[in-house]
Amino acid sequence: MTVTDLDGRIAQGWGGTNPDGVHVNVLLAERGSATAASMTSTFAGPTTGFTPILVCVGPDQPSYETVNPPTIMLSKTAPETELLSSLVSGACQVGIAQAVLDTVAADLLPADQSVLVFVSLWLNPEAKSHEKVRDAARRATAAALRETVLGRAPEDAARLVADRDRLTHPFYGVV
């Protein structure tokens, strides 16, 4: 599979259990593509409560290192408390970094700047555990990355088509 084949691939993943669960959407883009341009426009246009973060890791700010492939993280909801802000910027960022690097270690993505990874995340507003949230973000992102690169099994698509009249969602019918 080439980098061009990955451009525009998108998937979702869930990790953990509530209240420390994390849901992500992942989008891959080839550097220089229209998809990448859209992602970088999002990165360059923060709004109150929704500041995109270039995923980096390190023991302190002077030691930060960018994860490759470059990964942009954005929360789907504005963190309402200091704890939630810390969980998004800390635990979620580390878990996402670990998942991206796991994917590189599995030879599914290159460790360079030819591909950009965009991760949009939802963190339960009742989350409290840094470790559980980090693990949940890692599992959710790993699942979504795996699906973006490898696709889904044909039987999964067939099952959804067959069950289309019985589909449901936790927010369906909720007022």
Side-chain angles (χ1 to χ4, degrees):
M1 180 172 303
T2 67
V3 171
T4 303
D5 294 332
L6 297 176
D7 186 57
R9 289 192 177 209
I10 190 167
Q12 65 83 37
W14 172 264
T17 57
N18 280 320
D20 298 304
V22 174
H23 182 258
V24 301
N25 300 117
V26 169
L27 172 65
L28 299 180
E30 176 187 13
R31 183 174 173 221
S33 70
T35 310
S38 177
M39 286 171 51
T40 53
S41 292
T42 298
F43 182 68
T47 60
T48 303
F50 299 95
T51 302
I53 295 171
L54 179 61
V55 174
C56 57
V57 293
D60 54 37
Q61 290 173 330
S63 304
Y64 284 172
E65 293 182 75
T66 305
V67 171
N68 271 326
T71 302
I72 300 168
M73 176 185 83
L74 179 64
S75 182
K76 295 178 190 180
T77 57
E80 297 177 5
T81 66
E82 286 292 320
L83 175 60
L84 285 176
S85 183
S86 176
L87 288 170
V88 168
S89 297
C92 289
Q93 184 169 194
V94 170
I96 289 167
Q98 290 171 323
V100 169
L101 297 172
D102 290 343
T103 306
V104 168
D107 290 326
L108 297 176
L109 287 176
D112 60 23
Q113 294 209 6
S114 61
V115 175
L116 303 178
V117 178
F118 182 81
V119 180
S120 175
L121 72 99
W122 174 83
L123 175 62
N124 187 321
E126 297 172 11
K128 297 205 180 345
S129 170
H130 288 265
E131 290 76 22
K132 288 179 182 177
V133 167
R134 181 205 58 222
D135 292 345
R138 187 177 190 170
R139 283 195 299 277
T141 305
L145 282 169
R146 193 163 191 76
E147 184 177 324
T148 58
V149 175
L150 299 176
R152 294 184 64 199
E155 58 268 19
D156 290 340
R159 178 183 44 76
L160 282 176
V161 171
D163 292 344
R164 67 189 176 279
D165 292 329
R166 293 179 294 283
L167 297 178
T168 188
H169 190 277
F171 294 112
Y172 175 64
V174 175
V175 180

